[in-house]
Amino acid sequence: MPYILLLFQYHYKYPHWSVSQMKTGIATTTMASLPQTIILFLLLLGAFAQARDPFACDSKDAKTSSLPFCKVSMPIPNRVTDLLGRLTMQEKVRLLVNNAAAVPRLGIKGYEWWSEALHGVSNVGPGTKFGGAFPGATSFPQVITTAASFNATLWEAIGRVVSDEARAMYNGGAAGLTYWSPNVNIFRDPRWGRGQETPGEDPVLAGTYAASYVKGLQGNNGDRLKVAACCKHFTAYDLDNWNGVDRFHFNAKVSKQDIEDTFDVPFKMCVQDGNVASIMCSYNQVNGVPTCADPNLLKRTIRGQWNLNGYIVSDCDSVGVFYNTQHYTSTPEEAAADAIKAGLDLDCGPFLAQYTENAVTRGLLKEADVNSALANTLTVQMRLGMFDGEPSAQPFGNLGPKDVCTPAHQELALEAARQGIVLLNNRGPSLPLSHLRHRTVAVIGPNSNATVTMIGNYAGVACAYTSPLQGIGNYAKTIHQMGCADVACNDDKLFSGAINAARQADATVLVMGLDQSIEAEFRDRTGLLLPGRQQELVSKVAMASKGPTILVLMSGGPIDVSFSKNDPRIGAILWAGYPGQAGGAAIADVLYGTTNPEGKLPMTWYPQEYVSNLPMTDMAMRSSPNRNYPGRTYKFYKGPVVYPFGHGLSYTNFVHTIASAPKVVTVPLDGHRHSGNATISGKAIKVNHVRCNKLSVGLQVDVKNTGSKDGTHTMLVFSKPPAGHWAPQKQLVAFAKVHVPARSQRRVGINIHVCKFLSVVDRSGVRRIPTGVHNLHIGGVKHSLSLQPATLGVIKS
């Protein structure tokens, strides 16, 4: 019997182990000799012991399982209507919050809506518990790092893995099915502590990431959901705590132009292209109205214009915040009524459970409004199968501990890290390192042996870690010195050991940068330089180093490393972001050339001077010389940079040739809509007066690898619209990945949707297609494309 207990102990501690691994792990001859069938039987017993009971409609409860809302054969809207008709008002209001109460008389259990899966199943939020059969889950690179891959196929694949593990944990009673991820806010200001969670500064990149990751999470099962994703935080949310202003008090003053052109784009793509099941409104106000109480944002835009098929949830305690902190309403009942009437369906927090019933009693809200909110949340739960009885009998019901932290999942985490690492600088070149010449490597820096730092924030418990020190140790003998006790690097007590290590080694790798003590939720940065005395350590080590000095940076936000870029003793610079559980292995693979770097920066790296007099609270995107305002992001900022958006080097060289592309494209106008309206104004056509459906520009681009190493090329396509008051200096319109062996060539097809990606937004927030010449830029190649209206229509200035 003790051996059986020992087996269970190993099963729960290492659920992803195979039977042979478990037999090896238990150092007992008698145990190892147990027949494999018995071991498998015991594993099954362990899995069933952890199985989740049905959330509702349990077949063992004949009284409730026969009710119409439990009938899978009925359309979901009919089932929802039936259930709503059976609930009392007291029961309804307790379903409006994240820790939704049970309804025992109808056989419905309580449910925790709040779980997170930003880059792996997370332990942030009460809906997920690690331990027992689920000690960890695959922890992928932080989103800003994965975004640097510019690989939509990878993003969707990560989503599929995360949802496999989420479903497995749900089946085992350790997680929910509603995940409030991804974060698709624009990384507008480089100091933002949560920029690391986002796909970067470009709206098209962020929107493509959103749609791809959401598709991976939710699956392709028609209207049925594998898990329910949530794009957050809507909208114009990108300040946490800067210079005495925090997100709970901030009123983001945003123009209609910037809302349409920048802030709303990822959310619109998330809803319309990704078919996301939820949107989360943010803490801040936009132009004086809390986002969670604004019917223009929630009811008219998200649900009306974009046709959200899902629910709208508040950021946690947002309703309480706009009553208690922003003092937006006079009474809590008014706050509850305003939120629900604006289109909010679910409150992360207790507020709606406390005050909604009184709001109805006082006539501020109708019960029909409450029913509308609950219809949206209940519909999502039914799409998830939560009212279909026994989970194990449903799609994905076979997923369990064996499907978490699998070798394939962990290999994908490693591959994601490899693809996201960006080679910023390479003198000489100094990289890749040589197995023959660089046999001893000094590994130095506060992040040199990092583990938890590599997974950033909104992470869970990783399956395992490979630190940079361990990764480099797989290629060479290492001499390890921290140099600084932590990233704050407040003194030079450890400098001498680091300098001596560099003098002895064939090469030196400095792993520097930031961590969550510098940038995090509710922690915006004050500047862009390396913290404390890190810069001094880098320079002194580089001066002493016997061999090449390589600087590796871990961070979510950009860092002004002009000093190292201009230091001839620093041979190469890599940005690894927060590279996930396998980050150290990926870094080493790039350093030694096992992986040819392919990442591109998803945000601009500005000099420190950029933020010296720039308030984070100024939301304007476009530059304004009249008020000495520099503008935001590569689209509108024209000043000096440390590294530009889209920058990233390779160990080989790629050359582009446009094989075929149209020179003129006719833009067909919708004859029923443009007559009598300002269809064409300032030589730009209103998008909603164009027949947009299949209007696209097709390009064929030849990519030639002229170097001696195989490589994967990340091809970015930018458009420079015709000059005008509305237009950015350039904008990303497409991107693609292509693997090209050394000294060979591959052809890549690109399709650019004209209405979505070749349009600009005027000062009134109206999206238009500029007529005339659009210059498409791919690397160093330019192609001129003329867009012309099919008819002149009605021309007004």
Side-chain angles (χ1 to χ4, degrees):
M1 192 61 171
Y3 301 128
I4 294 175
L5 293 175
L6 190 58
L7 177 64
F8 273 110
Q9 181 180 347
Y10 266 76
H11 166 54
Y12 289 131
K13 189 174 182 182
Y14 307 107
H16 51 287
W17 275 17
S18 66
V19 171
S20 60
Q21 285 176 304
M22 231 172 279
K23 289 171 73 175
T24 303
I26 299 171
T28 305
T29 306
T30 309
M31 187 60 186
S33 64
L34 276 177
Q36 185 160 310
T37 52
I38 294 178
I39 296 177
L40 287 171
F41 175 70
L42 293 172
L43 288 178
L44 286 171
L45 285 178
F48 281 123
Q50 291 293 307
R52 174 185 288 274
D53 291 331
F55 168 74
C57 305
D58 189 344
S59 60
K60 295 190 288 291
D61 184 352
K63 182 180 176 182
T64 60
S65 63
S66 62
L67 295 173
F69 69 80
C70 289
K71 293 184 178 177
V72 180
S73 59
M74 283 178 59
I76 286 178
N78 295 10
R79 297 170 69 189
V80 169
T81 300
D82 177 77
L83 176 53
L84 284 172
R86 298 175 186 277
L87 294 169
T88 67
M89 177 55 76
Q90 291 74 27
E91 290 167 337
K92 288 176 182 177
V93 298
R94 289 196 289 270
L95 297 179
L96 292 170
V97 291
N98 63 289
N99 56 337
V103 187
R105 68 183 185 86
L106 296 177
I108 300 172
K109 293 181 172 60
Y111 179 68
E112 178 54 67
W113 285 81
W114 182 7
S115 291
E116 304 276 357
L118 184 69
H119 50 108
V121 179
S122 170
N123 56 5
V124 176
T128 305
K129 306 292 183 198
F130 285 99
F134 301 99
T138 308
S139 193
F140 289 90
Q142 180 60 287
V143 175
I144 194 70
T145 311
T146 311
S149 71
F150 284 83
N151 188 344
T153 303
L154 173 68
W155 302 332
E156 187 169 345
I158 292 172
R160 283 195 297 271
V161 166
V162 174
S163 58
D164 274 354
E165 298 195 352
R167 264 284 175 172
M169 292 180 70
Y170 173 78
N171 292 341
L177 288 177
T178 46
Y179 289 84
W180 294 345
S181 306
N183 178 342
V184 297
N185 292 118
I186 296 297
F187 199 169
R188 174 187 62 94
D189 190 292
R191 294 164 290 189
W192 187 30
R194 300 188 74 177
Q196 61 182 292
E197 301 172 32
T198 76
E201 71 181 35
D202 182 79
V204 172
L205 171 62
T208 305
Y209 176 89
S212 302
Y213 187 59
V214 164
K215 286 176 183 176
L217 286 175
Q218 296 189 166
N220 55 354
N221 309 287
D223 200 42
R224 290 285 176 153
L225 296 167
K226 189 177 179 186
V227 303
C230 174
C231 281
K232 63 185 185 184
H233 313 76
F234 188 74
T235 184
Y237 170 74
D238 50 22
L239 176 149
D240 267 67
N241 189 13
W242 176 83
N243 201 30
V245 180
D246 66 41
R247 60 188 181 177
F248 306 122
H249 297 83
F250 182 49
N251 176 24
K253 297 177 181 178
V254 191
S255 69
K256 291 181 179 178
Q257 185 178 39
D258 287 340
I259 282 280
E260 173 66 27
D261 192 37
T262 299
F263 297 110
D264 282 6
V265 171
F267 294 94
K268 184 177 182 179
M269 292 177 70
C270 186
V271 172
Q272 296 189 333
D273 300 341
N275 197 24
V276 74
S278 177
I279 294 287
M280 176 184 284
C281 52
S282 53
Y283 289 115
N284 57 290
Q285 296 184 353
V286 172
N287 299 326
V289 183
T291 64
C292 294
D294 191 341
N296 285 316
L297 293 178
L298 308 190
K299 189 168 283 185
R300 297 189 185 100
T301 301
I302 297 174
R303 200 169 293 285
Q305 294 176 25
W306 302 344
N307 297 312
L308 172 72
N309 180 19
Y311 70 98
I312 299 173
V313 60
S314 74
D315 204 341
C316 293
D317 207 31
S318 284
V319 184
V321 164
F322 78 67
Y323 170 68
N324 291 305
T325 304
Q326 298 173 4
H327 308 297
Y328 184 70
T329 63
S330 300
T331 67
E333 289 80 11
E334 288 173 332
D338 281 3
I340 292 174
K341 287 192 292 186
L344 188 71
D345 302 312
L346 185 71
D347 177 21
C348 178
F351 201 91
L352 291 187
Q354 293 170 336
Y355 299 109
T356 299
E357 188 174 0
N358 280 346
V360 173
T361 302
R362 296 181 185 182
L364 300 170
L365 191 66
K366 296 176 181 176
E367 185 171 358
D369 297 319
V370 177
N371 288 347
S372 294
L374 289 177
N376 292 323
T377 54
L378 292 172
T379 295
V380 167
Q381 286 183 312
M382 289 190 181
R383 291 170 63 196
L384 287 162
M386 293 174 65
F387 285 83
D388 294 353
E390 174 57 50
S392 63
Q394 298 176 35
F396 317 111
N398 61 326
L399 295 172
K402 69 183 188 313
D403 302 294
V404 180
C405 289
T406 67
H409 292 182
Q410 296 193 64
E411 180 62 29
L412 186 63
L414 172 59
E415 180 58 26
R418 288 170 177 150
Q419 291 193 28
I421 291 173
V422 181
L423 178 60
L424 297 173
N425 224 35
N426 195 14
R427 296 179 189 275
S430 299
L431 289 179
L433 297 176
S434 165
H435 296 273
L436 297 176
R437 297 193 309 275
H438 306 119
R439 297 182 178 183
T440 302
V441 177
V443 184
I444 296 167
N447 284 331
S448 58
N449 201 24
T451 53
V452 175
T453 293
M454 296 194 300
I455 62 177
N457 72 349
Y458 276 79
V461 179
C463 309
Y465 291 107
T466 303
S467 72
L469 178 64
Q470 291 170 318
I472 295 168
N474 290 329
Y475 284 92
K477 180 183 177 183
T478 58
I479 307 170
H480 181 228
Q481 290 288 327
M482 292 287 285
C484 301
D486 51 36
V487 295
C489 199
N490 289 320
D491 59 57
D492 63 355
K493 293 177 182 177
L494 302 178
F495 278 23
S496 59
I499 292 168
N500 288 334
R503 286 177 177 148
Q504 300 172 45
D506 300 323
T508 298
V509 176
L510 287 144
V511 191
M512 313 298 287
L514 315 178
D515 64 15
Q516 302 305 303
S517 70
I518 305 294
E519 55 177 356
E521 185 169 14
F522 217 65
R523 182 177 291 126
D524 297 326
R525 287 194 285 166
T526 55
L528 303 182
L529 300 175
L530 283 169
R533 301 177 71 171
Q534 283 196 43
Q535 178 173 327
E536 182 184 350
L537 174 65
V538 171
S539 296
K540 287 184 174 180
V541 166
M543 187 180 296
S545 182
K546 183 175 75 172
T549 300
I550 313 302
L551 176 60
V552 177
L553 298 166
M554 282 192 195
S555 71
I559 304 171
D560 182 353
V561 287
S562 302
F563 80 96
S564 60
K565 179 182 177 182
N566 299 324
D567 187 342
R569 296 163 301 188
I570 297 174
I573 307 173
L574 287 177
W575 176 68
Y578 293 123
Q581 65 175 48
I587 289 168
D589 287 347
V590 171
L591 291 174
Y592 274 88
T594 304
T595 294
N596 193 343
E598 59 192 81
K600 304 285 186 183
L601 289 178
M603 71 297 203
T604 302
W605 283 39
Y606 304 91
Q608 169 66 19
E609 292 73 29
Y610 174 78
V611 299
S612 295
N613 295 299
L614 179 63
M616 275 190 76
T617 50
D618 195 322
M619 300 294 292
M621 296 301 298
R622 286 158 171 80
S623 60
S624 175
N626 294 337
R627 60 189 187 96
N628 199 29
Y629 185 73
R632 307 276 190 175
T633 77
Y634 79 93
K635 292 175 66 175
F636 305 108
Y637 170 67
K638 300 176 183 178
V641 300
V642 180
Y643 294 108
F645 173 90
H647 175 74
L649 305 177
S650 170
Y651 293 151
T652 188
N653 186 53
F654 297 101
V655 176
H656 307 93
T657 305
I658 296 178
S660 67
K663 293 184 177 179
V664 179
V665 170
T666 300
V667 180
L669 303 183
D670 187 335
H672 297 288
R673 303 191 67 179
H674 78 268
S675 181
N677 294 292
T679 292
I680 305 177
S681 175
K683 296 185 178 180
I685 311 167
K686 281 186 176 179
V687 163
N688 63 358
H689 291 178
V690 174
R691 294 200 294 271
C692 289
N693 191 21
K694 295 182 180 179
L695 182 59
S696 64
V697 175
L699 308 176
Q700 295 291 320
V701 181
D702 288 333
V703 179
K704 187 173 184 180
N705 182 345
T706 61
S708 58
K709 293 181 181 295
D710 297 352
T712 297
H713 180 50
T714 302
M715 187 169 73
L716 309 184
V717 183
F718 294 93
S719 168
K720 183 175 177 58
H725 298 298
W726 314 323
Q729 52 184 348
K730 67 175 181 178
Q731 58 190 11
L732 185 70
V733 295
F735 51 89
K737 304 281 281 192
V738 57
H739 184 76
V740 188
R743 299 188 180 89
S744 64
Q745 181 173 294
R746 294 288 183 268
R747 180 162 291 183
V748 183
I750 295 285
N751 273 300
I752 304 168
H753 193 286
V754 172
C755 293
K756 285 183 180 179
F757 303 131
L758 296 181
S759 57
V760 298
V761 178
D762 69 19
R763 288 173 179 159
S764 299
V766 177
R767 189 168 286 277
R768 297 175 179 270
I769 301 169
T771 58
V773 177
H774 294 241
N775 288 315
L776 301 180
H777 294 264
I778 307 170
V781 177
K782 182 178 81 171
H783 175 75
S784 296
L785 170 71
S786 179
L787 298 183
Q788 298 296 333
T791 66
L792 289 179
V794 179
I795 303 177
K796 297 184 180 180
S797 60

